[in-house]
Amino acid sequence: MADLKTKVTEQSVETFLDKVPDEKVRNDCHVLIKLMKKVTGSPPKMWGPAIIGFGKYHYKYDSGHEGDMCIIGFSPRKQNISLYILAPIPGKDDLLKKLGKHKAGKGCLYVKKLEDIDLGILESLIRGTIDFLKKKYAGK
């Protein structure tokens, strides 16, 4: 089995953020760190070269593939901030309608800037995702 690329590293979160060229994006990242740290109770850690993650869970698929991943996280990308917080939680669609300007993928939420979204709704999505993952992967 191939070695997983997305795993916790010793890279400094601050060093990573210092390399983000856009000051507004860096400031948004600091807001996200504060919010995610509050909700998870976990410090930020680098997962792979570009994901800031919080907490950890162990997953195992029916195929036998397994590994560890951050419970929630985000990455400042060139076009937007990718938030890894979208589990299939009850009420997700209603929350997304109230969130503000964003795009959603299967497990990711994409925002250009935090001022475009409601941080209270974001926190609800984060809490729902954490609860979902803890229940789904408890004991695995």
Side-chain angles (χ1 to χ4, degrees):
M1 183 182 300
D3 196 28
L4 299 173
K5 291 180 186 173
T6 306
K7 57 186 172 185
V8 74
T9 72
E10 295 300 316
Q11 181 183 2
S12 159
V13 171
E14 282 303 318
T15 300
F16 171 72
L17 288 178
D18 286 345
K19 295 175 186 170
V20 173
D22 186 311
E23 182 179 359
K24 177 68 175 129
V25 173
R26 274 196 314 276
N27 290 339
D28 282 353
C29 289
H30 286 288
V31 171
L32 287 170
I33 287 171
K34 186 176 178 181
L35 174 63
M36 291 182 172
K37 185 176 178 181
K38 176 185 92 169
V39 174
T40 63
S42 298
K45 295 197 179 278
M46 292 302 301
W47 284 77
I51 296 173
I52 299 171
F54 297 80
K56 179 173 87 168
Y57 71 98
H58 186 79
Y59 62 87
K60 185 171 184 177
Y61 299 141
D62 292 339
S63 66
H65 177 80
E66 65 182 296
D68 294 315
M69 187 60 188
C70 55
I71 294 177
I72 58 167
F74 71 93
S75 182
R77 306 288 185 184
K78 189 173 184 177
Q79 295 296 320
N80 49 47
I81 299 173
S82 299
L83 297 136
Y84 306 105
I85 62 161
L86 283 187
I89 62 173
K92 178 178 89 172
D93 292 338
D94 289 335
L95 288 170
L96 288 174
K97 287 177 189 172
K98 298 175 188 173
L99 181 63
K101 191 175 178 180
H102 72 279
K103 290 184 181 178
K106 184 176 180 183
C108 297
L109 182 71
Y110 306 99
V111 298
K112 291 226 181 255
K113 51 192 174 195
L114 291 185
E115 66 189 39
D116 289 342
I117 63 170
D118 182 316
L119 293 181
I121 300 293
L122 179 64
E123 184 173 337
S124 294
L125 288 164
I126 291 169
R127 288 184 186 280
T129 295
I130 292 167
D131 290 346
F132 174 86
L133 291 173
K134 283 184 176 180
K135 286 176 190 166
K136 182 173 182 171
Y137 294 105
K140 290 192 180 190

